[in-house]
Amino acid sequence: HVQLVESGGGSVQAGGSLRLSCTGSGDTLTNYCMAWFRQAPGKGREGVVSIDNEGNPTYADSVKGRFTVSQDNGKNTLDLQMNSLGSEDTALYYCAASVGPVWAEYTRYQYRGQGTQVTVS
């Protein structure tokens, strides 16, 4: 089993950048399909980016060209570099891991973190 802890959230002005990290413990993140989700106030949870078991990322249209996901195998982290942030990116960001395929639904990921808040003003 893997435990996931997100970090790096905070408040930033529109147009700014943040880098989120999801740190795994108990297992290696490369053993899983990984994803970042987010939930804005009053809205449902949506997928931001997913990585399949070959390391191929798939981004939501809303973040393409602005967000970049990467894995640091030495640190056992899944990082999300977020640039050109706008108010629409304000949300609680979650990291998730699946022993199976990539899922569109957050609830189908067996392992999930507690989230880190991103606020863009």
Side-chain angles (χ1 to χ4, degrees):
H1 299 289
V2 66
Q3 293 81 46
L4 304 173
V5 177
E6 301 94 337
S7 62
S11 297
V12 64
Q13 291 187 337
S17 300
L18 280 175
R19 187 177 184 86
L20 306 183
S21 286
C22 172
T23 302
S25 60
D27 201 352
T28 303
L29 294 184
T30 53
N31 289 336
Y32 301 84
C33 292
M34 301 293 299
W36 281 97
F37 288 81
R38 66 185 181 184
Q39 186 166 20
K43 295 187 178 181
R45 195 171 283 113
E46 66 169 344
V48 175
V49 59
S50 61
I51 299 180
D52 65 20
N53 55 11
E54 295 183 351
N56 300 309
T58 300
Y59 295 92
D61 288 342
S62 59
V63 306
K64 280 181 181 177
R66 300 188 299 123
F67 290 12
T68 303
V69 69
S70 60
Q71 286 191 271
D72 187 326
N73 296 337
K75 296 180 179 179
N76 203 30
T77 61
L78 180 73
D79 300 323
L80 184 66
Q81 178 66 41
M82 307 186 297
N83 299 327
S84 302
L85 287 163
S87 58
E88 69 276 13
D89 298 312
T90 293
L92 190 59
Y93 283 72
Y94 299 90
C95 175
S98 170
V99 298
V102 168
W103 300 104
E105 300 85 4
Y106 175 75
T107 55
R108 302 196 74 168
Y109 284 78
Q110 294 89 350
Y111 307 102
R112 294 166 272 177
Q114 294 299 308
T116 186
Q117 179 67 39
V118 172
T119 303
V120 185
S121 60

